[in-house]
Amino acid sequence: MGKSYTEIVELIDAHLKKSGRRYYSEFYIGVSQNATKRLFEEHHVDMKNSWWIYATADSSEIAKEVEEHYLGLGMRGNDRDENNNSTMVYSYVVTPTTTE
C-alpha cells in the first residue's frame, strides 16, 4: 500500500535533516516506476555511501505533487515522467559521481 502526500513529505523532510546538507539545490527529486533502477543504475547513486530515499505513493497524482513540491523549493530534477503513471518518488544528494 502506498503513502499519502503528507506521509511522503514528512518522510523525505525527516531524512533531509539527517543528510547534513543545507540547500534543496544539493538534492535531486524524481518520479519513476522503478526507483531503485533509476537511483542506482541510471543516476549512479552509491547505494552504501550516499544519501538517498524513495517511497511509493498511493497514486501517480500524489507522486507528481510531491515532486512538484520539492522542485518548487529548489531541488534539481524535472517534471518528466515517461509514462505519466509512476508512483515511486525518489531523492538523492547530487555528487560529482551521480548523473542527473
Side-chain angles (χ1 to χ4, degrees):
M1 179 166 180
K3 298 184 182 315
S4 70
Y5 171 88
T6 302
E7 289 173 316
I8 295 173
V9 169
E10 288 175 353
L11 186 69
I12 292 174
D13 284 349
H15 202 56
L16 285 173
K17 289 177 183 171
K18 297 176 188 175
S19 74
R21 304 295 175 127
R22 292 180 45 191
Y23 304 104
Y24 285 106
S25 61
E26 296 179 87
F27 299 91
Y28 184 98
I29 187 84
V31 173
S32 176
Q33 283 190 320
N34 186 339
T36 56
K37 180 179 180 189
R38 292 284 291 152
L39 282 164
F40 308 120
E41 293 178 27
E42 296 174 24
H43 291 295
H44 303 111
V45 173
D46 184 330
M47 184 183 288
K48 294 182 181 172
N49 299 308
S50 188
W51 182 96
W52 54 269
I53 188 171
Y54 69 86
T56 303
D58 277 334
S59 68
S60 59
E61 291 79 14
I62 289 172
K64 295 302 286 176
E65 287 177 29
V66 171
E67 180 184 42
E68 289 169 10
H69 168 75
Y70 287 108
L71 289 172
L73 291 173
M75 278 192 183
R76 300 178 191 196
N78 60 56
D79 59 0
R80 178 179 47 92
D81 176 14
E82 291 79 24
N83 57 28
N84 289 325
N85 56 7
S86 297
T87 57
M88 297 182 86
V89 181
Y90 66 92
S91 183
Y92 65 89
V93 169
V94 175
T95 68
T97 59
T98 57
T99 304
E100 288 182 50

